[in-house]
Each structure stands twice: as structure tokens, then as C-alpha cells.
Amino acid sequence: MNRIPGIPARAHRAAFTLMEILVVIAIILVLAAIAFPVISVVQQRSSKAVAINNMRQLATAFGTYTSQNDGTFPAEDAKGPDTWQNAANEAANKAWYNALPKILGQKTVGEFATSPRDFYTKANLIWLPGAKYPESDKKLKEPLFAIAINTKLSQKDASGTKEPPKMSMVQRPSRTVMFLEQGLPSEPKAIPTQPKYDGSCKGSAKSFVTRYGTTGIMTFMDGHAEAVDSKDLLTETGRIPFPQTDIVWTKNPDDDPNAKQHGQ
């Protein structure tokens, strides 16, 4: 290009037109729209892999605990409300969330009582990256569990007491639920008929959450973990399917998991 005398060289450079800028922006938006689902799928797969690994470790520790305690399960929780103080009390040593991490050489839930924010990090064995934990320190008054033990295994007796069952009582170990991914208060329901999630340390189909599309992870009494679709867990009326076939919640598959317990 021949320069015009007296005009700086930069004035001869071609500038982007408005149309060219809009085309570039449109291309960027299209690429972002394509990349976002891919990134989301990758994140889900990564979170799912962590959940399977952590829950398998819990299942291994569960087996170790029962073998050391004449087949008896760890307690599903401690007496009283699920507060940090109760989790740290000696009386909660047999609760699964304290007993099982200890077997694996990990910090127990009670040991996070003095640093609740650390409970929601990978320093905690039962932390799951796909869960929506509270972000505000004002919501750290009690531990919220993204993994729960199957509460249908421990039935109340006539006096209203829940005694931990024994492994010998479980009739279908390969299909009986041990642990499940549990919904937190800030997470959407997997099934419309579910009650609001509370992040308790114990749960059932009514508190199951799906963090990977329509599926969530469960471990079973034989120690294996698998992804389970939410559509197989509750009926349209909010009841657990009975008779129990593929997924079993009670020690005996012939027991109705929807039946009210003594004292309820």
C-alpha cells in the first residue's frame, strides 16, 4: 500500500467493522455453548468417580467393623440431635460417621467439630465434590451429610429403641442398600414426591439424590457400588416399591419398608 504523505502509517491500517466484531462474538458464543455441556459431563464423571471411590471405602470399613464386632453394624447416628457437639461426644464413637473413617485412618466427623468448614472439603472422607454444600458460615451449625446410611435396616422395637442389626440378618446382601447419596437442603429433589432434603446422616429412598443426570450412587451389603436411577426408587404416591425386588431396604425383603415402626 502506498502511503499518503503526512499521514501516520497506523492510519492506513484496516480497522474491524461492527459486523466483523459481531461475527467474532457469535463464534465465541457458539463455541461456549458447545463446550459447556462437555465440561459439565466431564465434571459429573469426575464427581461420580470420587463418590464411588469414597463409598466403596466406607463399605470396606463397614465390613471390617462388623467382623470386629460379632457381625453388628455401626450405629446409624448418636442420641440426640445431629449437632457438632453430639458428633464429638464419646457416646457417638460407634456412629458410622465416626467409627468407619477411624478404621480407615481418616478424620471422624466428631474431629471436625472445631473446624466445621473443613468438613466440606476433600479432607473429609464422606465429602463429595458433586454435592451442594452450604457456602455461608452461618449454615455450619450442624454437619450436613451427602452420604447417608440406610435407616430402614435398624427397626425400632416395642420400647421404641433402635438396636443395630447384624450382618447375619441380611437375607439379600447383593441387593440390600448399605449407603446412599443423600440430598442436601440446597439441592433439587430427584423425585417430585420426596420430602424436603435435610442432609441427615441416615436416609432411604425418600432422601436419595441424583447428582449425575438421573442417577446417584449406592453401596450394597456385599460391598459393591453402583449407579441407581431415581425412577426405580419411589412410586408416584411417594412410597418405596413393595414387594422389594431389585433394590432392598430392609433386612428381610418380605418386610414392607413403608410400614410404620413401633413408636411412630
Side-chain angles (χ1 to χ4, degrees):
M1 179 185 295
N2 295 326
R3 290 181 57 189
I4 300 174
I7 298 179
R10 63 177 178 273
H12 293 275
R13 296 171 186 166
F16 286 109
T17 65
L18 177 59
M19 181 59 68
E20 289 172 329
I21 293 173
L22 291 176
V23 169
V24 171
I25 292 174
I27 292 173
I28 293 173
L29 290 176
V30 170
L31 292 174
I34 294 173
F36 181 78
V38 174
I39 294 172
S40 179
V41 169
V42 171
Q43 289 177 333
Q44 278 193 5
R45 287 178 179 174
S46 175
S47 297
K48 184 177 180 180
V50 173
I52 290 174
N53 179 63
N54 289 4
M55 293 177 73
R56 280 177 176 167
Q57 288 190 65
L58 285 174
T60 298
F62 190 99
T64 300
Y65 182 94
T66 57
S67 66
Q68 294 174 348
N69 291 273
D70 194 30
T72 302
F73 292 180
E76 63 177 15
D77 62 359
K79 290 184 178 180
D82 294 327
T83 62
W84 290 110
Q85 181 179 357
N86 276 351
N89 287 339
E90 186 177 350
N93 287 347
K94 291 185 178 181
W96 72 268
Y97 52 74
N98 284 333
L100 303 189
K102 185 176 181 179
I103 287 174
L104 297 170
Q106 302 285 334
K107 289 185 69 172
T108 68
V109 172
E111 290 175 323
F112 284 102
T114 55
S115 55
R117 175 52 64 188
D118 292 339
F119 178 75
Y120 301 115
T121 69
K122 60 183 179 181
N124 174 20
L125 174 65
I126 56 179
W127 168 82
L128 298 181
K132 294 182 179 179
Y133 292 109
E135 297 180 357
S136 171
D137 288 347
K138 294 181 180 180
K139 297 182 179 181
L140 300 180
K141 296 180 180 179
E142 58 187 14
L144 296 176
F145 295 82
I147 300 174
I149 197 168
N150 174 14
T151 191
K152 295 294 182 178
L153 294 170
S154 300
Q155 300 291 317
K156 290 182 179 179
D157 58 23
S159 66
T161 302
K162 269 192 173 186
E163 291 295 334
K166 290 191 174 186
M167 188 64 78
S168 59
M169 299 176 180
V170 178
Q171 297 188 15
R172 289 186 61 195
S174 65
R175 300 314 308 161
T176 302
V177 180
M178 179 190 295
F179 291 106
L180 60 141
E181 285 202 74
Q182 168 97 332
L184 302 178
S186 59
E187 293 181 305
K189 296 179 183 179
I191 309 167
T193 51
Q194 287 178 310
K196 184 178 179 180
Y197 295 140
D198 61 6
S200 172
C201 59
K202 55 189 178 183
S204 69
K206 294 186 176 182
S207 58
F208 181 72
V209 70
T210 56
R211 298 184 173 117
Y212 324 105
T214 62
T215 64
I217 306 302
M218 288 183 180
T219 57
F220 294 79
M221 285 296 163
D222 65 348
H224 86 277
E226 66 181 68
V228 176
D229 197 301
S230 60
K231 66 179 176 60
D232 299 324
L233 298 184
L234 290 179
T235 66
E236 293 181 355
T237 58
R239 293 173 64 83
I240 298 173
F242 184 75
Q244 301 180 89
T245 54
D246 189 50
I247 304 293
V248 178
W249 295 93
T250 55
K251 298 182 292 293
N252 183 343
D254 294 333
D255 292 338
D256 187 352
N258 304 289
K260 288 187 176 182
Q261 301 178 20
H262 293 285
Q264 289 188 342

